[in-house]
Amino acid sequence: MMGIIMSSFVMVFVIFTFILYIYILIDILKHEFTGYNKIIWILVLIFFPVLGALLYLVFGRSQRIK
């Protein structure tokens, strides 16, 4: 019983992470940034998917050109 609950939790986490990753990648590609910030954020997202996504939500969105 506990194994089913843990596997369900892991599956939900993986699906949520994948959706968040795709959303942030589209958001980065859709907006303009100053300098090399767009390339840097894409590299951060590729090399550190979960941490990069959270960092972008906290710090990256404020770096976009309005």
Side-chain angles (χ1 to χ4, degrees), residues 1-15:
M1 183 69 177
M2 191 65 160
I4 294 172
I5 293 172
M6 286 302 287
S7 65
S8 297
F9 175 74
V10 169
M11 187 183 319
V12 168
F13 178 75
V14 167
I15 291 170

Side-chain angles (χ1 to χ4, degrees), residues 42-60:
I42 290 173
L43 290 174
V44 167
L45 193 63
I46 289 171
F47 289 114
F48 308 103
V50 176
L51 180 63
L54 294 174
L55 287 173
Y56 178 76
L57 288 175
V58 173
F59 300 110

